[in-house]
């Protein structure tokens, strides 16, 4: 089992930035790690992933604004979010143990989520 704990969410004005963190209880070697989000009444949306080889993938909705990174020495995954807008308001989840970059069905482990609220 892998426990994931997100932090860094909060309230920010449009145009602002936040950095989310996700600490894992252990590293999941050879699999994908990713960030997703879910807004009320909407389906869970993929945002970004880090592939086993270390390269990254992004959804079109956040490409150029969000950056995913990891510090393996700290078992920590990050999501730097810039130029936030109201449509980015959602609960953000990290996930690990995946086998496909932006396909949430392939991820085995999920954090509890952290809320991000962007006001105009």
């Amino acid at each position: 089992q892998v426990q994931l704990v997100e932090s860094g969410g909060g309230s920010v004005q449009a145009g602002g930035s936040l950095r989310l963190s996700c600490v894992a209880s252990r590293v999941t070697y050879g699999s994908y790690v990713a960030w997703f989000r879910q807004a009320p009444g909407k389906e869970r949306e993929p945002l970004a992933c880090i592939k086993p080889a270390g390269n990254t993938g992004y959804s079109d909705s956040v490409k150029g604004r969000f950056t995913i990174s990891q510090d393996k020495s700290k078992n920590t995954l990050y999501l730097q979010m810039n130029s936030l807008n109201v449509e980015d308001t959602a609960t953000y989840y990290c996930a690990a143990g995946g086998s496909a970059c932006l396909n949430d069905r392939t991820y085995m482990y999920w954090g509890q989520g952290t809320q991000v609220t962007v006001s105009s």
Side-chain angles (χ1 to χ4, degrees):
Q1 258 310 349
V2 178
Q3 284 75 47
L4 303 174
V5 180
E6 302 100 333
S7 62
S11 297
V12 64
Q13 288 193 327
S17 298
L18 281 175
R19 188 176 80 155
L20 306 182
S21 299
C22 171
V23 179
S25 58
R26 65 174 178 85
V27 174
T28 53
Y29 293 100
S31 61
Y32 295 74
V33 292
W35 286 96
F36 296 80
R37 69 184 178 190
Q38 188 166 22
K42 294 187 178 181
E43 292 188 355
R44 187 159 54 195
E45 177 188 8
L47 300 176
C49 82
I50 298 179
K51 304 175 184 179
N55 48 332
T56 57
Y58 293 91
S59 67
D60 289 341
S61 64
V62 302
K63 193 176 296 182
R65 297 192 300 127
F66 292 9
T67 302
I68 190 171
S69 63
Q70 64 181 8
D71 184 338
K72 291 185 176 180
S73 68
K74 298 181 179 179
N75 286 358
T76 303
L77 183 69
Y78 300 101
L79 186 67
Q80 176 67 42
M81 306 187 295
N82 298 328
S83 302
L84 286 163
N85 55 60
V86 175
E87 290 71 32
D88 295 316
T89 295
T91 300
Y92 284 68
Y93 299 90
C94 64
S99 58
C101 183
L102 297 178
N103 186 340
D104 62 346
R105 297 181 183 180
T106 72
Y107 284 81
M108 297 176 60
Y109 310 107
W110 292 84
Q112 83 289 348
T114 186
Q115 177 67 35
V116 172
T117 302
V118 184
S119 58
S120 59

PDB file of all heavy atoms in Angstrom, residues 28-42:
ATOM      1  N   THR A  28       6.820   4.479  -5.868  1.00  0.00           N
ATOM      2  CA  THR A  28       6.243   3.432  -6.716  1.00  0.00           C
ATOM      3  C   THR A  28       7.083   3.355  -7.982  1.00  0.00           C
ATOM      4  O   THR A  28       6.876   4.069  -8.945  1.00  0.00           O
ATOM      5  CB  THR A  28       4.783   3.747  -7.064  1.00  0.00           C
ATOM      6  OG1 THR A  28       4.716   5.062  -7.619  1.00  0.00           O
ATOM      7  CG2 THR A  28       3.902   3.693  -5.828  1.00  0.00           C
ATOM      8  N   TYR A  29       8.044   2.469  -7.975  1.00  0.00           N
ATOM      9  CA  TYR A  29       8.978   2.378  -9.088  1.00  0.00           C
ATOM     10  C   TYR A  29       8.301   1.850 -10.346  1.00  0.00           C
ATOM     11  O   TYR A  29       7.432   0.987 -10.283  1.00  0.00           O
ATOM     12  CB  TYR A  29      10.145   1.476  -8.705  1.00  0.00           C
ATOM     13  CG  TYR A  29      11.013   2.046  -7.622  1.00  0.00           C
ATOM     14  CD1 TYR A  29      10.873   1.626  -6.300  1.00  0.00           C
ATOM     15  CD2 TYR A  29      11.964   3.027  -7.894  1.00  0.00           C
ATOM     16  CE1 TYR A  29      11.660   2.144  -5.296  1.00  0.00           C
ATOM     17  CE2 TYR A  29      12.749   3.562  -6.896  1.00  0.00           C
ATOM     18  CZ  TYR A  29      12.598   3.117  -5.602  1.00  0.00           C
ATOM     19  OH  TYR A  29      13.361   3.649  -4.609  1.00  0.00           O
ATOM     20  N   GLY A  30       8.716   2.394 -11.489  1.00  0.00           N
ATOM     21  CA  GLY A  30       8.263   1.860 -12.764  1.00  0.00           C
ATOM     22  C   GLY A  30       6.829   2.166 -13.109  1.00  0.00           C
ATOM     23  O   GLY A  30       6.243   1.492 -13.960  1.00  0.00           O
ATOM     24  N   SER A  31       6.258   3.153 -12.466  1.00  0.00           N
ATOM     25  CA  SER A  31       4.868   3.479 -12.773  1.00  0.00           C
ATOM     26  C   SER A  31       4.715   5.005 -12.872  1.00  0.00           C
ATOM     27  O   SER A  31       5.617   5.755 -12.547  1.00  0.00           O
ATOM     28  CB  SER A  31       3.930   2.921 -11.712  1.00  0.00           C
ATOM     29  OG  SER A  31       4.204   3.474 -10.444  1.00  0.00           O
ATOM     30  N   TYR A  32       3.562   5.429 -13.323  1.00  0.00           N
ATOM     31  CA  TYR A  32       3.280   6.842 -13.493  1.00  0.00           C
ATOM     32  C   TYR A  32       2.795   7.463 -12.176  1.00  0.00           C
ATOM     33  O   TYR A  32       2.139   6.810 -11.375  1.00  0.00           O
ATOM     34  CB  TYR A  32       2.192   7.033 -14.545  1.00  0.00           C
ATOM     35  CG  TYR A  32       2.556   6.623 -15.942  1.00  0.00           C
ATOM     36  CD1 TYR A  32       2.642   5.284 -16.307  1.00  0.00           C
ATOM     37  CD2 TYR A  32       2.772   7.589 -16.921  1.00  0.00           C
ATOM     38  CE1 TYR A  32       2.964   4.920 -17.603  1.00  0.00           C
ATOM     39  CE2 TYR A  32       3.090   7.224 -18.217  1.00  0.00           C
ATOM     40  CZ  TYR A  32       3.181   5.890 -18.549  1.00  0.00           C
ATOM     41  OH  TYR A  32       3.494   5.528 -19.836  1.00  0.00           O
ATOM     42  N   VAL A  33       3.085   8.742 -12.007  1.00  0.00           N
ATOM     43  CA  VAL A  33       2.485   9.549 -10.948  1.00  0.00           C
ATOM     44  C   VAL A  33       1.834  10.746 -11.607  1.00  0.00           C
ATOM     45  O   VAL A  33       2.292  11.195 -12.665  1.00  0.00           O
ATOM     46  CB  VAL A  33       3.520   9.990  -9.901  1.00  0.00           C
ATOM     47  CG1 VAL A  33       4.022   8.795  -9.110  1.00  0.00           C
ATOM     48  CG2 VAL A  33       4.680  10.723 -10.544  1.00  0.00           C
ATOM     49  N   ALA A  34       0.785  11.260 -10.990  1.00  0.00           N
ATOM     50  CA  ALA A  34       0.019  12.278 -11.699  1.00  0.00           C
ATOM     51  C   ALA A  34      -0.790  13.139 -10.743  1.00  0.00           C
ATOM     52  O   ALA A  34      -0.955  12.831  -9.557  1.00  0.00           O
ATOM     53  CB  ALA A  34      -0.927  11.610 -12.702  1.00  0.00           C
ATOM     54  N   TRP A  35      -1.303  14.228 -11.310  1.00  0.00           N
ATOM     55  CA  TRP A  35      -2.265  15.082 -10.637  1.00  0.00           C
ATOM     56  C   TRP A  35      -3.559  15.091 -11.433  1.00  0.00           C
ATOM     57  O   TRP A  35      -3.535  15.155 -12.660  1.00  0.00           O
ATOM     58  CB  TRP A  35      -1.745  16.505 -10.540  1.00  0.00           C
ATOM     59  CG  TRP A  35      -0.660  16.700  -9.538  1.00  0.00           C
ATOM     60  CD1 TRP A  35       0.681  16.692  -9.763  1.00  0.00           C
ATOM     61  CD2 TRP A  35      -0.823  16.939  -8.134  1.00  0.00           C
ATOM     62  NE1 TRP A  35       1.356  16.908  -8.593  1.00  0.00           N
ATOM     63  CE2 TRP A  35       0.464  17.066  -7.571  1.00  0.00           C
ATOM     64  CE3 TRP A  35      -1.932  17.062  -7.289  1.00  0.00           C
ATOM     65  CZ2 TRP A  35       0.672  17.320  -6.220  1.00  0.00           C
ATOM     66  CZ3 TRP A  35      -1.733  17.307  -5.939  1.00  0.00           C
ATOM     67  CH2 TRP A  35      -0.445  17.428  -5.414  1.00  0.00           C
ATOM     68  N   PHE A  36      -4.660  15.071 -10.709  1.00  0.00           N
ATOM     69  CA  PHE A  36      -6.000  15.182 -11.269  1.00  0.00           C
ATOM     70  C   PHE A  36      -6.764  16.232 -10.469  1.00  0.00           C
ATOM     71  O   PHE A  36      -6.322  16.646  -9.402  1.00  0.00           O
ATOM     72  CB  PHE A  36      -6.747  13.842 -11.181  1.00  0.00           C
ATOM     73  CG  PHE A  36      -6.137  12.744 -11.981  1.00  0.00           C
ATOM     74  CD1 PHE A  36      -5.043  12.037 -11.523  1.00  0.00           C
ATOM     75  CD2 PHE A  36      -6.664  12.413 -13.223  1.00  0.00           C
ATOM     76  CE1 PHE A  36      -4.471  11.017 -12.271  1.00  0.00           C
ATOM     77  CE2 PHE A  36      -6.119  11.393 -13.978  1.00  0.00           C
ATOM     78  CZ  PHE A  36      -5.019  10.692 -13.497  1.00  0.00           C
ATOM     79  N   ARG A  37      -7.906  16.619 -10.961  1.00  0.00           N
ATOM     80  CA  ARG A  37      -8.784  17.505 -10.192  1.00  0.00           C
ATOM     81  C   ARG A  37     -10.234  17.175 -10.511  1.00  0.00           C
ATOM     82  O   ARG A  37     -10.539  16.591 -11.552  1.00  0.00           O
ATOM     83  CB  ARG A  37      -8.504  18.979 -10.497  1.00  0.00           C
ATOM     84  CG  ARG A  37      -8.907  19.420 -11.905  1.00  0.00           C
ATOM     85  CD  ARG A  37      -8.490  20.862 -12.135  1.00  0.00           C
ATOM     86  NE  ARG A  37      -8.832  21.296 -13.489  1.00  0.00           N
ATOM     87  CZ  ARG A  37      -8.400  22.443 -14.013  1.00  0.00           C
ATOM     88  NH1 ARG A  37      -7.616  23.275 -13.297  1.00  0.00           N
ATOM     89  NH2 ARG A  37      -8.759  22.769 -15.230  1.00  0.00           N
ATOM     90  N   GLN A  38     -11.086  17.577  -9.577  1.00  0.00           N
ATOM     91  CA  GLN A  38     -12.515  17.377  -9.780  1.00  0.00           C
ATOM     92  C   GLN A  38     -13.273  18.552  -9.197  1.00  0.00           C
ATOM     93  O   GLN A  38     -13.139  18.870  -8.018  1.00  0.00           O
ATOM     94  CB  GLN A  38     -12.990  16.077  -9.135  1.00  0.00           C
ATOM     95  CG  GLN A  38     -14.418  15.712  -9.473  1.00  0.00           C
ATOM     96  CD  GLN A  38     -14.767  14.285  -9.111  1.00  0.00           C
ATOM     97  OE1 GLN A  38     -14.122  13.672  -8.266  1.00  0.00           O
ATOM     98  NE2 GLN A  38     -15.787  13.740  -9.759  1.00  0.00           N
ATOM     99  N   ALA A  39     -14.045  19.183 -10.043  1.00  0.00           N
ATOM    100  CA  ALA A  39     -14.897  20.291  -9.621  1.00  0.00           C
ATOM    101  C   ALA A  39     -16.290  19.748  -9.314  1.00  0.00           C
ATOM    102  O   ALA A  39     -16.676  18.706  -9.855  1.00  0.00           O
ATOM    103  CB  ALA A  39     -14.964  21.347 -10.719  1.00  0.00           C
ATOM    104  N   PRO A  40     -17.054  20.419  -8.473  1.00  0.00           N
ATOM    105  CA  PRO A  40     -18.393  19.944  -8.138  1.00  0.00           C
ATOM    106  C   PRO A  40     -19.258  19.735  -9.381  1.00  0.00           C
ATOM    107  O   PRO A  40     -19.316  20.612 -10.257  1.00  0.00           O
ATOM    108  CB  PRO A  40     -18.952  21.078  -7.264  1.00  0.00           C
ATOM    109  CG  PRO A  40     -17.759  21.709  -6.674  1.00  0.00           C
ATOM    110  CD  PRO A  40     -16.698  21.633  -7.733  1.00  0.00           C
ATOM    111  N   GLY A  41     -19.873  18.576  -9.475  1.00  0.00           N
ATOM    112  CA  GLY A  41     -20.759  18.272 -10.588  1.00  0.00           C
ATOM    113  C   GLY A  41     -20.053  17.911 -11.881  1.00  0.00           C
ATOM    114  O   GLY A  41     -20.709  17.721 -12.908  1.00  0.00           O
ATOM    115  N   LYS A  42     -18.735  17.795 -11.823  1.00  0.00           N
ATOM    116  CA  LYS A  42     -17.977  17.466 -13.036  1.00  0.00           C
ATOM    117  C   LYS A  42     -17.186  16.178 -12.831  1.00  0.00           C
ATOM    118  O   LYS A  42     -16.928  15.759 -11.705  1.00  0.00           O
ATOM    119  CB  LYS A  42     -17.034  18.616 -13.394  1.00  0.00           C
ATOM    120  CG  LYS A  42     -17.745  19.892 -13.787  1.00  0.00           C
ATOM    121  CD  LYS A  42     -16.757  20.930 -14.300  1.00  0.00           C
ATOM    122  CE  LYS A  42     -17.447  22.187 -14.753  1.00  0.00           C
ATOM    123  NZ  LYS A  42     -16.479  23.200 -15.285  1.00  0.00           N
TER     124      LYS A  42
END
